């Protein structure tokens, strides 16, 4: 049988061999026995703020205002919320998921070579310097620049067509949410994003988390913040695993088949001068079942300047998105993990 899974067990094993003596900071067991030491912290399951976007379309001005206020409140207190009545057709979400499954079912060799989808395939973390930096997952992190170029997708034209429709729908929703968040701080979206955040500058990330024999000690996706303005996540509707940091504790997000998850990324935190929070999150693995998710990242072009709505008292220095991405890639390469916004403090 042709293997479609990436060699996660082999790569993780190699990493453990390179770190035989490492001990876990919280339980003092050998890193081989305990690779995700944060898991020792007590875990709560949470009800993320639930926002009914139908409120924005209400004839009643009070309801429209209340809905916008709830979005801003959740973005500053949680950095995360769930969205129902979001207007994205369930059929489109299901079609996108079908194409995603078909893609991940291809032989590993095919996914890893051939420059598939703009060379966007990755798995594990080749630059991890310790076991707890390893992600038990595979992903296509796809720039939407070439989404209209059929030649770039070869045999995956049905995936390209659904992705095009999916990305357009997500872009509209992401822009609407971004507009509300910007207006709340007394600015106009056009002034902040200008022409820089359009369909072709954004990314789609297709994630697959294979069952993991080391579960739950190893992360499916290591703790991170997203490097964009905001993310719209279509997570698995049955298999949970997403956790986020709230009041210094990891809390688990319950799957909800009717909801999309929205989270604030680093760029919005920087622009809002820390009013909106880019919160750390991670995915835990499951020993028996695989899990899928799709993230839409609202990003500007690489040459866009990320300033602050409080120019005179801004916490972060001005930087371009290109500079930000480059710094992340450099940190991941050098230390195995992302540093992010702290690098850009004034
Ligand atoms: C190994 C890594 C790649 C990543 C940064 C990280 O240290 C951990 C998570 C990865 C992630 C996931 C969300 C976004 O896609 C991303 C751009 C980010 O900010 O964190 C990626 C990073 C990446 O692919 O460079
Ligand atoms: O799979 C998930 O639920 C989260 C994925 C995620 O955080 C990401 O792709 O940045
Ligand atoms: Fe993320």
């Amino acid at each position: 049988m042709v293997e479609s899974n990436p060699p996660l067990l082999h790569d993780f094993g190699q990493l453990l061999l390179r770190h035989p003596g490492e001990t876990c900071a919280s339980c003092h067991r050998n890193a081989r026995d305990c690779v995700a030491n944060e898991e020792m912290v007590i875990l709560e399951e949470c009800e993320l703020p639930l926002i009914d976007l139908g409120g924005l379309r209400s004839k009643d001005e009070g309801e429209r205002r209340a809905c916008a206020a709830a979005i801003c409140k959740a973005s500053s207190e949680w950095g995360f919320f769930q969205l129902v009545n979001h207007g994205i057709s369930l059929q489109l979400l299901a079609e996108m998921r079908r194409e995603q499954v078909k893609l991940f079912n291809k032989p590993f060799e095919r996914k890893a070579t051939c420059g598939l989808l703009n060379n966007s395939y990755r798995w594990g973390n080749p630059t991890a310097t310790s076991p707890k930096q390893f992600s038990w997952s595979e992903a296509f992190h796809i720039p939407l620049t070439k989404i209209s170029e059929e030649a770039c997708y070869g045999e995956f034209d049905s995936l390209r067509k659904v992705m095009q429709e999916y990305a357009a729908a997500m872009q509209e929703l992401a822009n609407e949410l971004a507009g509300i968040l910007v207006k709340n701080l007394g600015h106009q979206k056009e002034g902040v994003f200008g022409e820089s955040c359009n369909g072709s500058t954004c990314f789609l990330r297709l994630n697959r988390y294979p069952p993991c024999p080391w579960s739950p000690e190893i992360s499916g996706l290591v703790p991170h913040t997203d490097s964009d303005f905001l993310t719209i996540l279509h997570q698995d509707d049955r298999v949970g695993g997403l956790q986020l940091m709230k009041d210094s504790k990891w809390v688990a997000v319950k799957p909800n088949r009717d909801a999309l998850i929205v989270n604030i990324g680093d760029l919005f935190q920087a622009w809002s001068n820390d009013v909106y929070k880019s919160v750390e999150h991670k995915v835990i693995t499951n020993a028996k079942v695989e899990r899928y998710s799709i993230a839409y990242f609202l990003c500007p072009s690489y040459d866009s300047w990320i300033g602050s709505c409080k120019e005179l008292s801004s916490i972060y220095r001005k930087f371009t998105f290109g500079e930000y991405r480059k710094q992340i890639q450099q940190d991941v390469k050098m230390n195995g993990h992302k540093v992010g916004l702290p690098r850009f403090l004034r």
Side-chain angles (χ1 to χ4, degrees):
M1 206 184 76
V2 187
E3 182 59 61
S4 63
N5 279 315
L8 293 167
L9 197 53
H10 169 268
D11 291 2
F12 185 61
Q14 295 289 311
L15 193 58
L16 283 182
L17 283 176
R18 275 188 268 138
H19 293 263
E22 212 165 272
T23 51
C24 164
S26 52
C27 69
H28 306 292
R29 280 195 287 164
N30 190 289
R32 283 165 188 263
D33 306 317
C34 174
V35 285
N37 45 35
E38 308 99 279
E39 253 63 58
M40 300 297 134
V41 178
I42 294 157
L43 188 85
E44 286 172 16
E45 217 179 32
C46 73
E47 280 299 344
L48 275 184
L50 185 82
I51 288 161
D52 182 343
L53 208 63
L56 277 192
R57 327 261 180 250
S58 168
K59 289 202 181 88
D60 181 291
E61 202 197 329
E63 268 183 42
R64 292 200 301 273
R65 277 176 194 268
C67 181
I71 290 171
C72 301
K73 186 171 190 277
S75 302
S76 66
E77 289 179 4
W78 286 78
F80 263 85
F81 54 90
Q82 310 182 74
L83 207 54
V84 289
N85 285 323
H86 43 65
I88 311 272
S89 101
L90 295 183
Q91 197 189 338
L92 178 59
L93 293 174
E95 264 176 47
M96 187 65 228
R97 183 55 47 88
R98 267 195 298 277
E99 289 294 335
Q100 177 185 20
V101 172
K102 250 167 55 187
L103 176 65
F104 280 113
N105 274 337
K106 295 282 172 198
F108 167 69
E109 286 299 329
R110 174 99 184 84
K111 291 184 281 189
T113 50
C114 304
L116 208 56
L117 312 184
N118 254 343
N119 274 318
S120 60
Y121 182 65
R122 49 196 75 180
W123 74 96
N125 177 1
T127 54
T129 53
S130 85
K132 69 177 181 166
Q133 287 169 354
F134 193 80
S135 294
W136 194 272
S137 54
E138 54 180 331
F140 285 89
H141 192 84
I142 310 169
L144 293 170
T145 21
K146 299 198 176 153
I147 186 81
S148 53
E149 288 177 28
E150 291 176 30
C152 202
Y153 282 75
E155 70 186 275
F156 296 100
D157 204 46
S158 60
L159 167 72
R160 187 186 67 83
K161 285 187 179 133
V162 180
M163 252 174 55
Q164 208 167 7
E165 201 185 329
Y166 187 91
M170 288 295 167
Q171 200 207 344
E172 198 180 319
L173 179 58
N175 276 324
E176 185 172 25
L177 297 169
I180 290 167
L181 293 163
V182 168
K183 199 169 157 206
N184 179 51
L185 295 182
H187 289 253
Q188 291 297 318
K189 197 178 127 275
E190 291 62 37
V192 179
F193 297 112
E195 291 296 297
S196 72
C197 239
N198 61 54
S200 71
T201 56
C202 298
F203 289 79
L204 259 190
R205 185 179 174 103
L206 311 180
N207 293 307
R208 175 176 175 265
Y209 305 91
C212 172
W214 289 81
S215 181
E217 288 160 22
I218 180 162
S219 299
L221 189 55
V222 292
H224 67 279
T225 57
D226 291 347
S227 310
D228 56 350
F229 275 110
L230 64 84
T231 307
I232 304 180
L233 181 74
H234 176 217
Q235 66 156 342
D236 203 291
D237 54 16
R238 283 163 305 170
V239 189
L242 176 63
Q243 299 187 352
L244 59 97
M245 227 352 140
K246 174 79 177 132
D247 303 328
S248 311
K249 278 189 210 137
W250 286 114
V251 291
V253 179
K254 272 196 221 158
N256 175 348
R257 59 164 60 230
D258 299 321
L260 292 169
I261 308 278
V262 178
N263 66 283
I264 297 295
D266 301 342
L267 304 187
F268 237 138
Q269 172 164 332
W271 178 78
S272 70
N273 220 23
D274 280 1
V275 172
Y276 304 131
K277 304 288 180 334
S278 179
V279 164
E280 233 189 346
H281 53 285
K282 65 178 178 178
V283 177
I284 56 153
T285 48
N286 188 299
K288 296 213 165 64
V289 281
E290 60 181 355
R291 177 176 184 275
Y292 289 93
S293 72
I294 306 173
Y296 177 84
F297 297 108
L298 182 69
C299 298
S301 57
Y302 283 129
D303 58 3
S304 301
W305 284 99
I306 312 301
S308 160
C309 66
K310 291 262 166 22
E311 234 170 275
L312 295 178
S313 55
S314 124
I315 300 172
Y316 305 99
R317 68 172 174 81
K318 256 182 126 178
F319 54 88
T320 64
F321 181 51
E323 202 185 330
Y324 194 68
R325 284 285 296 167
K326 205 169 152 201
Q327 184 65 55
I328 291 173
Q329 276 158 6
Q330 203 173 308
D331 285 331
V332 170
K333 200 168 165 196
M334 293 296 288
N335 319 308
H337 66 92
K338 164 181 170 178
V339 177
L341 280 182
R343 280 246 186 272
F344 293 82
L345 285 165
R346 253 186 209 283

